[in-house]
Amino acid sequence: MIEDPRVRCHVRVDLAPERDRQLREGKTLLEMGRLEEGFALLDEAMIEVMSGELSPLMTGLVYCSVISCCQRLHALGRAREWTAELGRWCREQRQ
């Protein structure tokens, strides 16, 4: 983090290649109808999101991507859980 109080900027890594691969592969498996495998990979990709190691932009993009997949496939319980986590994360962010 930059120490100048006028500039609040967190320097964090973007999505690690392994997590990016898991996210893409999970979405592909879901499109192929292999729901159990696909959701398992999306859940693994979310581990990095939950760790707080991603930039806020990447965190938001991954949350939205996973929630969108859940909604598209009518996995509403899963979508609700991730939406609640996204809401918690948003409340914790500085404005």
Side-chain angles (χ1 to χ4, degrees):
M1 187 161 121
I2 298 172
E3 294 302 320
D4 185 336
R6 294 169 295 158
V7 181
R8 301 249 183 234
C9 177
H10 291 276
V11 178
R12 295 185 183 166
V13 298
D14 280 339
L15 195 60
E18 177 64 15
R19 294 292 178 247
D20 183 49
R21 183 199 59 75
Q22 286 176 328
L23 185 60
R24 291 175 189 270
E25 187 177 339
K27 290 168 84 172
T28 299
L29 289 168
L30 292 174
E31 290 173 9
M32 295 170 59
R34 295 167 58 184
L35 303 183
E36 189 173 320
E37 294 169 273
F39 281 127
L41 286 176
L42 292 186
D43 288 345
E44 287 181 39
M46 291 300 290
I47 291 169
E48 191 162 353
V49 169
M50 301 292 290
S51 75
E53 293 299 315
L54 298 178
S55 69
L57 176 62
M58 286 306 300
T59 296
L61 290 173
V62 174
Y63 265 123
C64 290
S65 179
V66 170
I67 291 167
S68 176
C69 286
C70 294
Q71 290 175 329
R72 223 176 22 256
L73 295 167
H74 304 282
L76 301 181
R78 204 180 271 270
R80 272 190 293 275
E81 288 177 30
W82 286 125
T83 300
E85 283 298 316
L86 173 60
R88 179 199 53 76
W89 176 78
C90 286
R91 286 187 299 278
E92 293 174 355
Q93 301 307 300
R94 290 186 208 144
Q95 296 297 328

